[in-house]
Amino acid sequence: MKNNYLQSYKDLLTNPILFIPDLITIVYSFFLAYFLAWYTGLVDFIKNQNTLDLLTQSDLNPIITALTSHLETNFGKIILSIIIFFITTFLVGTGMLTVKFNLITEIVNGKRTKLKQIFNLRSKNFYQILIMRIITFISAMVVTTLILILGSIFYVIHPYLVYLLTPLPFLFYLGIYFRYHFMLLKKQNPLSSFKSSINFFKKNPKHVIFVWLITTATLFITNFLVSQITQYFFYVT
């Protein structure tokens, strides 16, 4: 098992092309958010010298009043921007997720994809991954609802019992962590791969946690670098 860990990490480091879909998603989300913030007037609102002065005061009522007035004035634009942001990032995110996991599949099968060819993978398995994301979203809503219901019951019994529920969202996340692996590498349908991922976590919790830690650390470093670039972008604009 240890050799599998090292090989997985080696494959990740020797194939930096795997980071491109995540990077594109992050950059796209940032620039779309910035554009929509500009469209709704939020950028000018934040840059306004009077607003910056109000933020330095101990009394927050003026800034709250100004922000409320801005939201009321641009309510339609804000709602439209939120809808556009979630729909487009969901679709673009699905496309990039499709590219990413198709790249992983090709690497596992011993193939190598050139940089200019990666977007040719965006249509392969797109609908399967879209269905999987919908299943994941619905399942997360069900789990959240159950946690809220149990939390209400536990709170009535004793407030401290609510803390027993705090690991559940993380366990759910780890349980479905390998859902795309089973769907794309094992050629299972979305629902079956969802169930297989949960069963795999039950049998191999240490393996899942290790892979999650490596992936999280790598993404953290990537996000840190992107955040530094975006801060510079805000500074120069």
Side-chain angles (χ1 to χ4, degrees):
M1 185 69 74
K2 182 178 180 180
N3 291 333
N4 291 335
Y5 294 156
L6 295 176
Q7 185 60 44
S8 298
Y9 191 57
K10 181 181 178 181
D11 289 340
L12 187 64
L13 292 178
T14 55
N15 294 278
I17 195 173
L18 290 173
F19 296 108
I20 292 179
D22 289 326
L23 185 61
I24 291 175
T25 301
I26 294 170
V27 173
Y28 172 82
S29 299
F30 165 74
F31 280 105
L32 178 62
Y34 183 84
F35 171 77
L36 293 177
W38 170 82
Y39 170 71
T40 58
L42 188 59
V43 172
D44 291 335
F45 177 82
I46 294 174
K47 288 183 176 180
N48 186 284
Q49 186 62 45
N50 293 331
T51 301
L52 296 177
D53 290 340
L54 289 171
L55 285 172
T56 61
Q57 299 178 6
S58 58
D59 185 10
L60 295 179
N61 287 328
I63 188 63
I64 293 174
T65 301
L67 180 60
T68 302
S69 176
H70 177 79
L71 293 177
E72 291 176 349
T73 304
N74 299 277
F75 182 76
K77 288 184 177 181
I78 292 172
I79 294 299
L80 178 62
S81 297
I82 291 174
I83 294 173
I84 291 174
F85 180 82
F86 279 106
I87 291 177
T88 56
T89 52
F90 182 82
L91 293 176
V92 171
T94 300
M96 290 300 99
L97 198 60
T98 302
V99 172
K100 177 181 177 179
F101 283 104
N102 284 329
L103 279 172
I104 293 174
T105 302
E106 293 205 346
I107 290 171
V108 170
N109 292 329
K111 299 179 181 179
R112 290 294 182 268
T113 302
K114 296 181 180 179
L115 181 60
K116 63 181 180 180
Q117 297 174 325
I118 64 172
F119 292 105
N120 295 333
L121 301 173
R122 66 184 183 277
S123 60
K124 185 180 178 181
N125 300 312
F126 177 83
Y127 290 106
Q128 279 186 300
I129 290 180
L130 180 62
I131 292 171
M132 175 60 77
R133 296 194 77 184
I134 293 173
I135 292 174
T136 302
F137 175 78
I138 294 173
S139 300
M141 291 299 99
V142 171
V143 170
T144 301
T145 302
L146 290 176
I147 290 175
L148 291 175
I149 293 173
L150 290 174
S152 300
I153 297 173
F154 285 4
Y155 186 83
V156 172
I157 298 173
H158 196 288
Y160 286 109
L161 290 177
V162 176
Y163 292 107
L164 296 175
L165 300 174
T166 53
L168 293 183
F170 182 60
L171 291 175
F172 169 75
Y173 174 73
L174 290 178
I176 63 174
Y177 197 74
F178 278 87
R179 60 195 184 279
Y180 294 107
H181 167 86
F182 285 99
M183 185 174 70
L184 300 176
L185 296 181
K186 303 298 182 180
K187 304 300 181 181
Q188 297 182 3
N189 63 59
L191 186 58
S192 296
S193 59
F194 194 88
K195 295 177 182 178
S196 297
S197 179
I198 295 174
N199 292 330
F200 181 78
F201 175 65
K202 291 178 181 178
K203 297 176 182 178
N204 306 279
K206 292 182 180 179
H207 175 75
V208 176
I209 292 173
F210 179 85
V211 173
W212 172 78
L213 286 172
I214 293 296
T215 306
T216 302
T218 305
L219 288 176
F220 176 80
I221 294 172
T222 304
N223 289 336
F224 174 77
L225 294 175
V226 172
S227 67
Q228 297 304 306
I229 296 173
T230 54
Q231 285 181 18
Y232 173 77
F233 176 80
F234 268 119
Y235 176 77
V236 297
T237 56

